Amino acid sequence: MSHLHPQTAIFSPSVARAAASTAKDWSYVDNWLRTKYSANNQNVPKFERNPDTLRALLALASHNEAVDEERDQLAQLEKAALDEVKAADAAKETTRQEQADGVTKDVKGELVADDILDAIEENLTREGRTALDAMARMAVELGMAFPTSEGLGTRYVELQAKVFELEQTLDRVALLQKYLERESQTMDGFIQEVRGPEYRPAADLAKQNLDLQRQIKTMSAKLPEIGQQIAALEKSVAIPSLTVEDVKKDEDVYLDLLAAKKELDAQVKTFAGLPPDVEAARIELESLRAQLRDATARRDAVFEGLVERESPVKSRRRP
């Protein structure tokens, strides 16, 4: 839920619980980081807030707290052992005071340190030994001569950031590789298509090229003679010189004549079917008019009969 805006409305109870749990975890991690970095007067470095980073920091914080508890236990054991050693030394101080010298003190200090380390190692729990071995191996892998919990945590976060960056780079490289492979397959298909028989030159292409070159040379040699013939023809035949304006005028006249022809065709079309003789055409026209008058009279008679038949008969009123 770290990707949600702080002011984004959450209507689902489960989503709200998850968001509250995530916010609580981030608050715990932020407080832990501020505690660790404030001890060295340093600011908490900026990092990307995502679920993976949160899980890593929570694991690191819990591991660090467990190590701190074990370290406190070790410190208490060391203090108790040191108190016992001091009490034993105070009891035997009077007897060994005369024989004590610098070399004896050094040997004695080494023996005490060995005893303390042996006591600490014997009193460590299984989890404490595992944590101590893990911190030692981490310090060796990171090359830290004097490791601290803060330093190990910082280096661990830096390594996590580098791992995330390398993973993103690998994803981009894989995507680019897929694109190049797809383009390579397309190019291979195009090459195979170009190598097909459709794109191969004709077998007699060289012969055709030679024939075309001979024809071009022959026509080039005849060009001066043809030019002279054209010049002589122009001198013998007077060819009127035309301009663009003359051609435009002729075109306008042609278009006017074409429009007049269309109008005449429409007028002539109305007399289609009449005989070519004028008198015969008039006789046929009068016959058609007589048929039209007869048809009109019959139509009127039928209409009047229909009206009289369908109209109601009015009864005469008696006085």
Side-chain angles (χ1 to χ4, degrees), residues 70-315:
E70 294 175 358
R71 184 178 61 185
D72 294 338
Q73 294 176 0
L74 290 176
Q76 293 177 0
L77 290 174
E78 289 177 357
K79 184 178 179 181
L82 184 61
D83 293 338
E84 292 178 358
V85 170
K86 286 182 179 180
D89 290 341
K92 296 178 181 179
E93 184 67 22
T94 55
T95 58
R96 297 181 181 181
Q97 187 174 3
E98 296 179 357
Q99 300 177 357
D101 53 8
V103 177
T104 304
K105 289 182 180 179
D106 293 338
V107 173
K108 178 181 175 182
E110 292 179 358
L111 292 175
V112 171
D114 292 338
D115 292 338
I116 292 173
L117 292 176
D118 292 339
I120 292 172
E121 186 176 358
E122 290 176 357
N123 289 277
L124 281 177
T125 61
R126 181 182 301 176
E127 292 78 5
R129 291 179 182 178
T130 304
L132 189 60
D133 292 339
M135 290 185 65
R137 286 195 299 270
M138 185 182 295
V140 172
E141 292 292 335
L142 297 177
M144 298 179 66
F146 301 98
T148 60
S149 58
E150 293 82 359
L152 291 175
T154 302
R155 292 295 301 276
Y156 183 78
V157 173
E158 293 176 354
L159 288 176
Q160 284 293 110
K162 290 182 180 179
V163 168
F164 179 76
E165 184 178 357
L166 290 175
E167 289 177 353
Q168 296 296 320
T169 304
L170 287 175
D171 292 339
R172 290 194 291 270
V173 171
L175 182 62
L176 180 61
Q177 184 178 3
K178 290 181 180 179
Y179 173 76
L180 293 176
E181 289 177 354
R182 186 171 63 253
E183 292 296 325
S184 177
Q185 292 176 359
T186 304
M187 186 60 66
D188 292 339
F190 177 74
I191 292 174
Q192 295 296 332
E193 183 179 357
V194 170
R195 290 179 178 176
E198 294 82 2
Y199 293 93
R200 291 180 182 176
D204 57 345
L205 183 61
K207 182 179 179 182
Q208 294 179 6
N209 191 10
L210 292 175
D211 294 339
L212 289 175
Q213 290 181 0
R214 292 194 188 97
Q215 293 177 8
I216 291 171
K217 290 180 179 179
T218 303
M219 296 301 296
S220 300
K222 292 182 178 180
L223 281 176
E225 182 180 355
I226 295 173
Q228 293 177 0
Q229 293 177 0
I230 292 173
L233 184 61
E234 289 179 351
K235 291 180 180 179
S236 60
V237 179
I239 300 175
S241 59
L242 295 176
T243 60
V244 177
E245 294 179 356
D246 296 336
V247 175
K248 184 66 173 60
K249 290 179 181 179
D250 294 340
E251 184 180 3
D252 294 338
V253 172
Y254 171 74
L255 293 176
D256 294 339
L257 293 175
L258 186 60
K261 178 181 178 298
K262 290 182 178 179
E263 292 179 359
L264 293 174
D265 290 340
Q267 294 177 5
V268 171
K269 189 176 182 181
T270 58
F271 298 99
L274 295 177
D277 188 11
V278 178
E279 294 298 332
R282 288 178 179 176
I283 293 170
E284 187 172 355
L285 181 59
E286 290 297 333
S287 176
L288 291 174
R289 287 176 178 175
Q291 293 178 7
L292 178 60
R293 286 192 294 270
D294 293 339
T296 303
R298 287 197 301 270
R299 183 197 64 184
D300 294 339
V302 171
F303 180 74
E304 290 176 359
L306 181 62
V307 171
E308 291 179 356
R309 187 180 62 187
E310 297 295 333
S311 298
V313 178
K314 297 181 179 180
S315 60

